[in-house]
Amino acid sequence: MNRSRDRWIAFLLILPSIILIAIFVYGFIAWTARVSLSKWDGVQPDYTWVGLDNYRLLFTDAGGVSNKRFAIDMWNTLFFTFFFLLICVVNRLAVSDLT
């Protein structure tokens, strides 16, 4: 009896955190997915369903200038991520060798 009560108390104590994470993490992920599949241009809200057309424009030549900009942005992200991780690992190995 006491163990069951303790479990309920523990659940009730973490329930606010679960609710806030559901709203502010998973809720915004769902909102971003909804907007990315609509015709919204970022200025005027237009929730007309376009499906994966926005992604098709990003990854094909039909995207024009935005396609080239996206490719540059992806390359920059991969470049800086790789070298940042490389520097962190090398620095950590150097520091760990000193101790």
Side-chain angles (χ1 to χ4, degrees), residues 72-90:
I72 291 169
D73 292 342
M74 287 301 294
W75 169 250
N76 288 340
T77 301
L78 293 173
F79 179 82
F80 286 114
T81 301
F82 175 76
F83 282 106
F84 176 78
L85 290 175
L86 181 69
I87 290 170
C88 288
V89 168
V90 168

Side-chain angles (χ1 to χ4, degrees), residues 26-98:
Y26 300 113
F28 286 119
I29 289 172
W31 177 257
T32 302
R34 178 182 179 209
V35 170
S36 75
L37 298 173
S38 69
K39 194 177 177 180
W40 194 11
D41 63 358
V43 179
Q44 296 292 329
D46 181 9
Y47 300 110
T48 306
W49 178 264
V50 294
L52 297 175
D53 283 344
N54 292 334
Y55 293 101
R56 183 185 53 81
L57 289 175
L58 275 177
F59 293 110
T60 62
D61 290 335
V65 174
S66 65
N67 179 28
K68 292 175 185 162
R69 183 66 200 170
F70 178 71
I72 291 169
D73 292 342
M74 287 301 294
W75 169 250
N76 288 340
T77 301
L78 293 173
F79 179 82
F80 286 114
T81 301
F82 175 76
F83 282 106
F84 176 78
L85 290 175
L86 181 69
I87 290 170
C88 288
V89 168
V90 168
N91 283 339
R92 185 59 192 155
L93 287 174
V95 170
S96 69
D97 192 36
L98 296 175

Side-chain angles (χ1 to χ4, degrees), residues 5-19:
R5 182 174 176 244
D6 289 344
R7 286 186 181 184
W8 273 107
I9 290 173
F11 175 72
L12 290 175
L13 286 173
I14 65 169
L15 186 62
S17 297
I18 293 172
I19 292 171

